Amino acid sequence: MPAPFILSPSLLSSDFGRLADELAALEGAGLRWVHLDVMDGLFVPNITFGPPIIAAMRRRSKLYFDTHLMIERPERYLAAFREAGSDLICVHAEATVHLERAVSEIRRLGAAPGVALNPATPLSQVEYLLPQLEMVLVMTVNPGFGGQSFIPFCLDKVKDLAAMRRERDLSFRIQVDGGVSPDNTAALVAAGADVLVSGSAFFGHPPYKERLDVFQAAAATSPT
Ligand code: DX5
Ligand code: ZN
């Protein structure tokens, strides 16, 4: 039995000129989630896309839209992302002064709330919020670009977060994002990650069905 985990391909590494085709190819390959990296040029140096593009993709896809907001003061845009069709909305703890308010607002809007932590941000930033969250995103690179190398100490952070989840009998998902590949999949799943985001190591190796099989085979070698 392969270890149960969700692969959420990061569209950042797809062909932006063929988004509808890419989404259809993901669905055809058996993927259920897609990771949407929204960057504002302030919180991170890069700029990607916003609600209008997500709304256009929503009209063409039934995938679960896992939306990673790398934007300053995300509370300004939560309703817009929800209306565009985001199923899960993940905000960075470092990007807002009022994190609890943002999380409550995401839930009120009918989306699943997540909080992302940069590599150097301690888990204590989110510990009191854990019962309200559907997901915690442990960034395993500094956000902003695809194709970076996994930061090794982040594996311990995933283990520590999984221990908190066990001790408190909570059920939020743990997502990892950045430098994820079949090479570190087994270690991440063993550490407690349930949702693996992969950009370059996924889209760079078509066909997508075969690549999903490679990740699943890698996860199946995990000791848990
Ligand atoms: C980084 C983004 C990631 C990125 C991952 O800021 O949040 O989702 O696309 O890309 P890879 O898998 O190439 O590190
Ligand atoms: Zn991301």
Side-chain angles (χ1 to χ4, degrees):
M1 249 322 253
F5 78 102
I6 295 166
L7 184 65
S8 190
S10 165
L11 215 56
L12 189 60
S13 292
S14 74
D15 181 349
F16 278 11
R18 300 172 43 255
L19 284 176
D21 295 343
E22 293 280 41
L23 292 168
L26 292 178
E27 266 180 71
L31 277 303
R32 292 182 291 130
W33 285 38
V34 64
H35 184 82
L36 306 178
D37 285 307
V38 177
M39 305 187 186
D40 67 352
L42 282 173
F43 183 70
V44 289
N46 204 359
I47 299 178
T48 54
F49 50 79
I53 300 285
I54 294 178
M57 293 195 292
R58 182 76 290 169
R59 292 193 285 276
R60 306 291 286 269
S61 173
K62 293 192 164 44
L63 290 167
Y64 187 79
F65 280 6
D66 160 26
T67 311
H68 178 192
L69 298 186
M70 287 162 276
I71 65 177
E72 284 292 346
R73 294 177 50 220
E75 56 272 18
R76 296 173 295 157
Y77 293 105
L78 297 175
F81 282 104
R82 179 57 180 154
E83 278 158 26
S86 291
D87 296 296
L88 181 149
I89 300 178
C90 189
V91 295
H92 267 264
E94 306 87 356
T96 177
V97 176
H98 302 293
L99 186 57
E100 197 283 335
R101 183 182 290 157
V103 165
S104 296
E105 178 65 4
I106 293 167
R107 196 173 285 284
R108 194 190 65 77
L109 291 165
V115 171
L117 302 174
N118 283 336
T121 302
L123 294 174
S124 58
Q125 287 279 319
V126 82
E127 67 173 306
Y128 294 105
L129 278 179
L130 292 176
Q132 293 171 240
L133 299 179
E134 297 291 330
M135 197 182 81
V136 177
L137 166 47
V138 177
M139 286 305 302
T140 45
V141 299
N142 291 298
F145 304 95
Q148 303 182 80
S149 300
F150 183 89
I151 298 175
F153 73 72
C154 296
L155 190 62
D156 289 331
K157 200 170 171 187
V158 173
K159 287 180 189 163
D160 291 346
L161 183 58
M164 278 182 170
R165 179 171 63 178
R166 258 193 322 276
E167 282 155 19
R168 300 187 198 184
D169 202 20
L170 294 170
S171 57
F172 59 87
R173 288 188 163 114
I174 299 177
Q175 182 175 67
V176 287
D177 182 11
V180 174
S181 75
D183 293 343
N184 52 23
T185 285
L188 287 164
V189 170
D194 318 280
V195 186
L196 272 54
V197 175
S198 177
S200 50
F202 180 84
F203 283 99
H205 301 265
Y208 301 153
K209 169 77 179 76
E210 276 77 349
R211 198 55 176 165
L212 174 60
D213 290 344
V214 170
F215 274 90
Q216 279 170 339
T221 67
S222 164
T224 57

